[in-house]
Amino acid sequence: MPSLLLASASPARRATLVAAGIEPHVLVSGVDEDAVLREAEARFGTLDPVDAVLVLANAKADDVAARLEGGETVPGQEDGLPEDLLVLGCDSLLDLDGEALGKPRDADDAVARWKRMRGRSGLLHTGHWLVDLRPGSPTATLGATSTTVVHFADVTDAEIDAYVATGEPLAVAGAFTVDGRGGAFVRGIEGDHHGVVGLSLPVLRDLLQQVDLSVTDLWT
């Protein structure tokens, strides 16, 4: 049976998979995101946010796949991983006025972000990249992006300060969550809720179909 390895430290992405019946292995990618984007822009010119997330997801999946093929072990799996393995890399950015916003630099940046975002709408892009490492199968590497419109509440300064003080927005792209404290400050979304959390299950299903697998093949 095929197994999925998530190239991400995100607990929300792992929880999304587990809730969907998929128990992933995890090996965090070690790519320098800023360096990856600089190199891509040197080759292709300025990247739109929707392209940037795909470039980053690709880099993360390729990094982990190369390390596995080089013999690196996964914590807790020192006896080896299943042979029929697929690696999934993901990355998310908030697109506000065409500007790509990842994790805030610090608390002041998070406060400034929220004062800019409140009462407005943005696009949350999540890139997904799948690398098929199953022996006997043609090596496949493919990706896709989900985009969801996010409508933010017109939150007060006091609410922003209290939210930033929790530390939650410092750890996530766009400085907000929909599955945590930040959910109270999101009026609604148009698109895939899971894509905002960080991993679109419909996109994963589509990618798996392109390598002749069903999402049900990954159910535990």
Side-chain angles (χ1 to χ4, degrees):
M1 297 295 291
S3 296
L4 187 71
L5 186 144
L6 181 62
S8 172
S10 167
R13 290 190 178 111
R14 184 182 182 281
T16 296
L17 290 169
V18 171
I22 302 169
E23 188 70 45
H25 305 284
V26 175
L27 182 60
V28 181
S29 104
V31 300
D32 181 332
E33 296 185 13
D34 291 337
V36 167
L37 290 178
R38 283 196 301 270
E39 181 180 348
E41 291 186 345
R43 294 177 60 191
F44 306 116
T46 302
L47 298 176
D48 290 332
V50 70
D51 296 320
V53 290
L54 200 57
V55 167
L56 289 170
N58 184 0
K60 293 176 180 181
D62 284 352
D63 171 70
V64 168
R67 287 158 55 194
L68 290 173
E69 292 184 312
E72 184 168 339
T73 59
V74 173
Q77 297 289 328
E78 284 74 14
D79 292 335
L81 291 166
E83 285 192 340
D84 287 350
L85 192 67
L86 301 108
V87 175
L88 178 66
C90 298
D91 193 83
S92 299
L93 292 170
L94 178 68
D95 181 346
L96 193 68
D97 301 327
E99 181 183 355
L101 302 175
K103 296 177 183 177
R105 295 185 303 275
D106 52 30
D108 289 342
D109 188 30
V111 169
R113 292 262 195 99
W114 265 100
K115 288 183 177 180
R116 179 179 168 193
M117 288 157 40
R118 61 182 169 189
R120 303 182 61 203
S121 301
L123 301 174
L124 197 288
H125 304 297
T126 295
H128 307 69
W129 202 274
L130 190 71
V131 179
D132 185 356
L133 297 180
R134 292 175 296 163
S137 299
T139 299
T141 176
L142 61 161
T145 299
S146 72
T147 297
T148 302
V149 181
V150 182
H151 302 291
F152 298 105
D154 190 9
V155 293
T156 65
D157 287 354
E159 286 175 319
I160 291 173
D161 290 342
Y163 183 42
V164 172
T166 69
E168 181 181 275
L170 302 180
V172 288
F176 77 98
T177 66
V178 293
D179 57 336
R181 290 181 173 88
F185 305 139
V186 175
R187 291 187 293 108
I189 65 170
E190 298 174 47
D192 180 11
H193 166 271
H194 293 108
V196 180
V197 175
L199 195 162
S200 169
L201 295 171
V203 168
L204 175 60
R205 174 178 174 268
D206 291 344
L207 292 175
L208 290 169
Q209 287 180 328
Q210 293 181 57
V211 293
D212 298 321
L213 286 173
S214 167
V215 69
T216 63
D217 294 328
L218 298 180
W219 287 353
T220 53

